[in-house]
Amino acid sequence: MSKKSFEDLVNLLKKENYNFKFFQAESTGNFLPEDSNWNYKDVVHAKFVHPGLNNVQACALGDVTSSINLLKLPFLGLSIPLVCVMYEQSRFKLVYFSSFGPYIIVNNTNSERIDSKKTKVTTSYAIGSKGIFKYFHKIIEKMILKNYQLLMADDMPMRNRRGELRNLGHKFYSDNQTSFSFTEEINRANVYLDQNVKSEISIKKSSLLSCKQGEKIGETSGILSFFITEEGKKKKMWPATCSHEGAYLTSKCIKNGKIFCPWHNKVTKPLIIIDESEKNKFNIVQCVDYLITDEKEAIKIKFRNDPKYYDKNYK
């Protein structure tokens, strides 16, 4: 069966005597269509980035996903289930539909590039109902647009962060691999560096020893940027960018001696632990993302820089 477009679904429902109200919402940012496309398909981030969104994921396949959203009703303290389905109708175009009592909600999200670095995302909505229920369409429109603003307040920083990394020579394996099911593989690295950008860095041990709590070291930003924490007589160096999809990492993400990515909860350990009680001994914590070597006066850090490496090793 072919995938119905937004227009197809609306026309089919009109034949069933549904009346529709149409409206749109737009967002523009410094990212590519690949970034908003990934953001909409990313089924995992909802739990961690949208704390007010309570949903149960039913399935996440290649080009379709479904969930049961538990919508809280204001003032009543109740929640009602909304069964939602989203699928990729074509490249950078996603169709979503749900029902709410006597109402059917259909929307279409289209991402289009404005210039080399900027993208406009347009979401077209259609609220359908029969009979007197059409008089409440305006109220539902206001609810939907309010919810859209809340979601974009959380999602736009994610998209713009990826745009920022692209400007620094970073690329994303998920550009060509993104499917709803692929986004569940949170332990892989989907970030890599352009072949014209160096994928390794050498940091003097003296620089690490002089760093204080919260200070950055290495590159200004990106996959070869790190930060320092101090815990008693131990100093630790952590990655400042999550290798999974590029989330910005800080000391606020650390719990029980590990970093938990704010986007997907991927766990990362410190890369280097300096123990002052053992005459500033440098303990290297090897991980799948980086190859770290001790070169007497400096520490050499090489990013794996090959997402295909994780096809067999990310688990």
Side-chain angles (χ1 to χ4, degrees), residues 67-133:
S67 62
I68 302 170
N69 292 348
L70 303 176
L71 180 66
K72 290 184 179 180
L73 296 177
F75 309 115
L76 297 179
L78 301 174
S79 62
I80 59 174
L82 297 179
V83 177
C84 306
V85 175
M86 180 186 292
Y87 57 88
E88 185 176 45
Q89 199 262 320
S90 61
R91 182 67 164 159
F92 304 139
K93 184 175 289 187
L94 297 167
V95 175
Y96 165 102
F97 63 85
S98 181
S99 61
F100 174 69
Y103 299 97
I104 293 176
I105 301 169
V106 184
N107 74 41
N108 173 83
T109 298
N110 185 45
S111 301
E112 56 183 337
R113 187 183 294 194
I114 297 176
D115 55 35
S116 61
K117 297 181 179 179
K118 187 170 291 186
T119 292
K120 180 175 73 173
V121 183
T122 304
T123 303
S124 301
Y125 294 91
I127 304 171
S129 68
K130 295 180 179 180
I132 64 172
F133 293 106

Side-chain angles (χ1 to χ4, degrees), residues 300-311:
K300 183 179 179 181
I301 306 171
K302 178 176 176 58
F303 185 58
R304 296 285 187 188
N305 213 39
D306 182 10
K308 293 181 180 179
Y309 174 85
Y310 296 82
D311 291 343

Side-chain angles (χ1 to χ4, degrees), residues 159-177:
R159 302 174 190 180
N160 286 322
R161 168 61 175 166
R162 285 167 64 99
E164 175 191 357
L165 290 172
R166 289 182 189 277
N167 290 337
L168 295 171
H170 293 60
K171 294 186 175 182
F172 297 90
Y173 190 50
S174 53
D175 283 357
N176 298 315
Q177 295 291 325

